[in-house]
Tab-separated table of all heavy atoms in Angstrom:
chain	number	residue	atom	x	y	z
A	14	THR	N	109.018	122.323	94.917
A	14	THR	CA	110.396	122.084	94.499
A	14	THR	C	111.089	121.100	95.434
A	14	THR	O	110.600	120.818	96.536
A	14	THR	CB	111.188	123.394	94.509
A	14	THR	OG1	111.301	123.856	95.876
A	14	THR	CG2	110.500	124.466	93.663
A	15	ALA	N	112.251	120.618	94.990
A	15	ALA	CA	113.041	119.740	95.853
A	15	ALA	C	113.474	120.475	97.115
A	15	ALA	O	113.537	119.880	98.199
A	15	ALA	CB	114.259	119.221	95.091
A	16	GLY	N	113.776	121.764	96.999
A	16	GLY	CA	114.154	122.534	98.177
A	16	GLY	C	113.046	122.575	99.212
A	16	GLY	O	113.292	122.424	100.416
A	17	GLU	N	111.809	122.773	98.748
A	17	GLU	CA	110.674	122.761	99.671
A	17	GLU	C	110.520	121.388	100.307
A	17	GLU	O	110.237	121.274	101.512
A	17	GLU	CB	109.400	123.153	98.927
A	17	GLU	CG	109.332	124.621	98.537
A	17	GLU	CD	108.109	124.933	97.696
A	17	GLU	OE1	108.135	124.644	96.478
A	17	GLU	OE2	107.128	125.444	98.254
A	18	ALA	N	110.702	120.340	99.511
A	18	ALA	CA	110.584	118.981	100.047
A	18	ALA	C	111.592	118.749	101.162
A	18	ALA	O	111.266	118.167	102.210
A	18	ALA	CB	110.784	117.960	98.929
A	19	LEU	N	112.822	119.189	100.971
A	19	LEU	CA	113.850	118.990	101.987
A	19	LEU	C	113.592	119.836	103.225
A	19	LEU	O	113.877	119.407	104.352
A	19	LEU	CB	115.224	119.293	101.387
A	19	LEU	CG	115.674	118.285	100.317
A	19	LEU	CD1	116.889	118.813	99.560
A	19	LEU	CD2	115.975	116.922	100.932
A	20	ARG	N	113.035	121.023	103.047
A	20	ARG	CA	112.662	121.834	104.205
A	20	ARG	C	111.529	121.163	104.980
A	20	ARG	O	111.499	121.202	106.218
A	20	ARG	CB	112.286	123.243	103.766
A	20	ARG	CG	113.502	124.096	103.376
A	20	ARG	CD	113.131	125.552	103.160
A	20	ARG	NE	112.402	125.750	101.915
A	20	ARG	CZ	112.989	125.931	100.724
A	20	ARG	NH1	114.306	125.894	100.613
A	20	ARG	NH2	112.252	126.138	99.642
A	21	HIS	N	110.597	120.549	104.260
A	21	HIS	CA	109.523	119.826	104.937
A	21	HIS	C	110.067	118.625	105.714
A	21	HIS	O	109.616	118.333	106.835
A	21	HIS	CB	108.485	119.363	103.913
A	21	HIS	CG	107.731	120.493	103.286
A	21	HIS	ND1	107.016	120.344	102.105
A	21	HIS	CD2	107.583	121.785	103.655
A	21	HIS	CE1	106.459	121.510	101.795
A	21	HIS	NE2	106.783	122.392	102.715
A	22	THR	N	111.024	117.919	105.129
A	22	THR	CA	111.648	116.794	105.821
A	22	THR	C	112.338	117.266	107.094
A	22	THR	O	112.270	116.609	108.142
A	22	THR	CB	112.653	116.093	104.885
A	22	THR	OG1	111.929	115.395	103.862
A	22	THR	CG2	113.524	115.096	105.629
A	23	THR	N	112.988	118.410	107.033
A	23	THR	CA	113.644	118.967	108.223
A	23	THR	C	112.623	119.301	109.308
A	23	THR	O	112.837	119.007	110.491
A	23	THR	CB	114.444	120.220	107.846
A	23	THR	OG1	115.373	119.898	106.791
A	23	THR	CG2	115.218	120.752	109.041
A	24	ALA	N	111.508	119.901	108.906
A	24	ALA	CA	110.449	120.218	109.876
A	24	ALA	C	109.907	118.945	110.515
A	24	ALA	O	109.640	118.904	111.731
A	24	ALA	CB	109.332	120.996	109.191
A	25	LEU	N	109.752	117.891	109.707
A	25	LEU	CA	109.253	116.625	110.238
A	25	LEU	C	110.261	116.012	111.207
A	25	LEU	O	109.873	115.472	112.251
A	25	LEU	CB	108.952	115.660	109.089
A	25	LEU	CG	108.427	114.289	109.500
A	25	LEU	CD1	107.094	114.409	110.236
A	25	LEU	CD2	108.274	113.377	108.270
A	26	ALA	N	111.541	116.079	110.877
A	26	ALA	CA	112.563	115.542	111.780
A	26	ALA	C	112.519	116.241	113.130
A	26	ALA	O	112.589	115.598	114.191
A	26	ALA	CB	113.944	115.675	111.146
A	27	ARG	N	112.400	117.551	113.112
A	27	ARG	CA	112.342	118.295	114.377
A	27	ARG	C	111.109	117.920	115.189
A	27	ARG	O	111.185	117.739	116.415
A	27	ARG	CB	112.339	119.795	114.085
A	27	ARG	CG	113.682	120.339	113.610
A	27	ARG	CD	113.564	121.790	113.225
A	27	ARG	NE	114.860	122.401	112.952
A	27	ARG	CZ	115.063	123.343	112.042
A	27	ARG	NH1	114.046	123.792	111.308
A	27	ARG	NH2	116.265	123.855	111.862
A	28	ARG	N	109.978	117.782	114.518
A	28	ARG	CA	108.742	117.473	115.254
A	28	ARG	C	108.765	116.044	115.777
A	28	ARG	O	108.320	115.811	116.927
A	28	ARG	CB	107.529	117.692	114.340
A	28	ARG	CG	106.197	117.460	115.046
A	28	ARG	CD	105.984	118.458	116.160
A	28	ARG	NE	104.721	118.245	116.866
A	28	ARG	CZ	104.614	118.129	118.180
A	28	ARG	NH1	105.706	118.194	118.955
A	28	ARG	NH2	103.434	117.951	118.744
A	29	THR	N	109.243	115.092	115.010
A	29	THR	CA	109.266	113.714	115.494
A	29	THR	C	110.275	113.553	116.627
A	29	THR	O	110.088	112.714	117.509
A	29	THR	CB	109.550	112.722	114.353
A	29	THR	OG1	110.720	113.117	113.625
A	29	THR	CG2	108.377	112.647	113.388
A	30	GLU	N	111.329	114.352	116.625
A	30	GLU	CA	112.235	114.357	117.771
A	30	GLU	C	111.480	114.802	119.022
A	30	GLU	O	111.595	114.178	120.088
A	30	GLU	CB	113.416	115.282	117.504
A	30	GLU	CG	114.374	115.406	118.688
A	30	GLU	CD	115.545	116.315	118.379
A	30	GLU	OE1	115.320	117.537	118.221
A	30	GLU	OE2	116.680	115.809	118.311
A	31	GLU	N	110.711	115.876	118.906
A	31	GLU	CA	109.922	116.372	120.050
A	31	GLU	C	108.934	115.320	120.531
A	31	GLU	O	108.650	115.233	121.731
A	31	GLU	CB	109.163	117.631	119.644
A	31	GLU	CG	110.043	118.831	119.359
A	31	GLU	CD	109.264	119.996	118.752
A	31	GLU	OE1	108.080	119.807	118.376
A	31	GLU	OE2	109.833	121.084	118.638
A	32	LEU	N	108.422	114.504	119.605
A	32	LEU	CA	107.409	113.504	119.947
A	32	LEU	C	108.013	112.225	120.526
A	32	LEU	O	107.279	111.346	120.976
A	32	LEU	CB	106.594	113.157	118.699
A	32	LEU	CG	105.689	114.275	118.164
A	32	LEU	CD1	105.186	113.937	116.768
A	32	LEU	CD2	104.512	114.527	119.103
A	33	GLY	N	109.338	112.112	120.502
A	33	GLY	CA	109.984	110.966	121.128
A	33	GLY	C	110.282	109.794	120.223
A	33	GLY	O	110.582	108.693	120.720
A	34	TYR	N	110.239	109.988	118.915
A	34	TYR	CA	110.610	108.896	118.009
A	34	TYR	C	112.097	108.592	118.168
A	34	TYR	O	112.911	109.465	118.464
A	34	TYR	CB	110.269	109.250	116.566
A	34	TYR	CG	108.783	109.155	116.263
A	34	TYR	CD1	107.925	110.227	116.491
A	34	TYR	CD2	108.240	107.981	115.749
A	34	TYR	CE1	106.566	110.141	116.223
A	34	TYR	CE2	106.883	107.878	115.472
A	34	TYR	CZ	106.051	108.963	115.713
A	34	TYR	OH	104.704	108.864	115.443
A	35	GLN	N	112.453	107.325	117.929
A	35	GLN	CA	113.811	106.844	118.204
A	35	GLN	C	114.837	107.310	117.175
A	35	GLN	O	115.935	107.733	117.516
A	35	GLN	CB	113.805	105.303	118.248
A	35	GLN	CG	115.171	104.636	118.294
A	35	GLN	CD	115.804	104.688	119.672
A	35	GLN	OE1	115.188	105.168	120.622
A	35	GLN	NE2	117.027	104.191	119.777
A	36	ARG	N	114.496	107.204	115.893
A	36	ARG	CA	115.439	107.541	114.832
A	36	ARG	C	114.701	108.105	113.619
A	36	ARG	O	113.491	107.873	113.456
A	36	ARG	CB	116.317	106.335	114.459
A	36	ARG	CG	115.583	105.139	113.941
A	36	ARG	CD	116.513	103.905	113.804
A	36	ARG	NE	116.507	103.090	115.012
A	36	ARG	CZ	117.581	102.827	115.745
A	36	ARG	NH1	118.761	103.313	115.402
A	36	ARG	NH2	117.493	102.077	116.830
A	37	PHE	N	115.430	108.799	112.754
A	37	PHE	CA	114.857	109.417	111.559
A	37	PHE	C	115.799	109.099	110.402
A	37	PHE	O	116.941	109.554	110.381
A	37	PHE	CB	114.738	110.940	111.758
A	37	PHE	CG	113.926	111.646	110.695
A	37	PHE	CD1	112.608	112.006	110.945
A	37	PHE	CD2	114.468	111.958	109.459
A	37	PHE	CE1	111.860	112.665	109.972
A	37	PHE	CE2	113.739	112.617	108.487
A	37	PHE	CZ	112.422	112.970	108.750
A	38	TRP	N	115.307	108.318	109.448
A	38	TRP	CA	116.136	107.877	108.319
A	38	TRP	C	115.638	108.469	107.012
A	38	TRP	O	114.432	108.709	106.833
A	38	TRP	CB	116.103	106.360	108.199
A	38	TRP	CG	116.934	105.624	109.205
A	38	TRP	CD1	117.620	106.147	110.273
A	38	TRP	CD2	117.167	104.214	109.247
A	38	TRP	NE1	118.263	105.149	110.962
A	38	TRP	CE2	118.003	103.959	110.357
A	38	TRP	CE3	116.745	103.139	108.459
A	38	TRP	CZ2	118.437	102.665	110.689
A	38	TRP	CZ3	117.167	101.854	108.791
A	38	TRP	CH2	118.004	101.621	109.894
A	39	VAL	N	116.570	108.678	106.084
A	39	VAL	CA	116.250	109.042	104.700
A	39	VAL	C	116.879	108.000	103.783
A	39	VAL	O	117.854	107.341	104.143
A	39	VAL	CB	116.761	110.451	104.353
A	39	VAL	CG1	116.004	111.507	105.140
A	39	VAL	CG2	118.267	110.580	104.597
A	40	ALA	N	116.300	107.850	102.584
A	40	ALA	CA	116.695	106.764	101.697
A	40	ALA	C	117.295	107.277	100.399
A	40	ALA	O	116.933	108.346	99.913
A	40	ALA	CB	115.481	105.878	101.387
A	41	GLU	N	118.207	106.478	99.848
A	41	GLU	CA	118.847	106.816	98.578
A	41	GLU	C	117.986	106.367	97.401
A	41	GLU	O	117.737	105.170	97.227
A	41	GLU	CB	120.226	106.149	98.497
A	41	GLU	CG	120.944	106.409	97.180
A	41	GLU	CD	122.280	105.685	97.068
A	41	GLU	OE1	122.782	105.192	98.107
A	41	GLU	OE2	122.819	105.613	95.958
A	42	HIS	N	117.541	107.319	96.603
A	42	HIS	CA	116.814	107.034	95.358
A	42	HIS	C	117.354	107.959	94.276
A	42	HIS	O	117.766	109.088	94.556
A	42	HIS	CB	115.305	107.271	95.533
A	42	HIS	CG	114.649	106.303	96.453
A	42	HIS	ND1	114.342	105.010	96.089
A	42	HIS	CD2	114.239	106.426	97.741
A	42	HIS	CE1	113.770	104.382	97.105
A	42	HIS	NE2	113.703	105.224	98.121
A	43	HIS	N	117.326	107.478	93.049
A	43	HIS	CA	117.843	108.270	91.931
A	43	HIS	C	116.853	108.262	90.767
A	43	HIS	O	116.124	107.287	90.580
A	43	HIS	CB	119.187	107.703	91.459
A	43	HIS	CG	120.237	107.669	92.526
A	43	HIS	ND1	120.970	108.777	92.884
A	43	HIS	CD2	120.655	106.657	93.328
A	43	HIS	CE1	121.810	108.446	93.859
A	43	HIS	NE2	121.635	107.168	94.151
A	44	ASN	N	116.863	109.346	90.002
A	44	ASN	CA	116.023	109.475	88.807
A	44	ASN	C	114.548	109.322	89.146
A	44	ASN	O	113.777	108.742	88.386
A	44	ASN	CB	116.432	108.446	87.734
A	44	ASN	CG	115.857	108.781	86.365
A	44	ASN	OD1	115.589	109.940	86.042
A	44	ASN	ND2	115.653	107.760	85.543
A	45	MET	N	114.153	109.850	90.303
A	45	MET	CA	112.760	109.787	90.734
A	45	MET	C	112.276	111.193	91.061
A	45	MET	O	112.638	111.751	92.107
A	45	MET	CB	112.606	108.867	91.945
A	45	MET	CG	112.939	107.420	91.643
A	45	MET	SD	112.613	106.344	93.053
A	45	MET	CE	113.267	104.794	92.431
A	46	PRO	N	111.475	111.808	90.202
A	46	PRO	CA	111.036	113.193	90.415
A	46	PRO	C	110.243	113.405	91.690
A	46	PRO	O	110.130	114.540	92.163
A	46	PRO	CB	110.170	113.478	89.179
A	46	PRO	CG	110.605	112.481	88.148
A	46	PRO	CD	111.000	111.267	88.916
A	47	ALA	N	109.699	112.339	92.275
A	47	ALA	CA	108.884	112.488	93.481
A	47	ALA	C	109.688	112.401	94.763
A	47	ALA	O	109.132	112.548	95.850
A	47	ALA	CB	107.780	111.429	93.501
Side-chain angles (χ1 to χ4, degrees):
T14 66
E17 289 175 281
L19 292 168
R20 286 189 287 274
H21 292 162
T22 289
T23 305
L25 180 62
R27 287 175 172 146
R28 183 64 181 128
T29 51
E30 177 179 68
E31 293 171 350
L32 292 167
Y34 285 87
Q35 170 78 4
R36 61 189 92 240
F37 191 101
W38 284 6
V39 293
E41 178 183 346
H42 292 283
H43 301 280
N44 195 27
M45 295 185 186

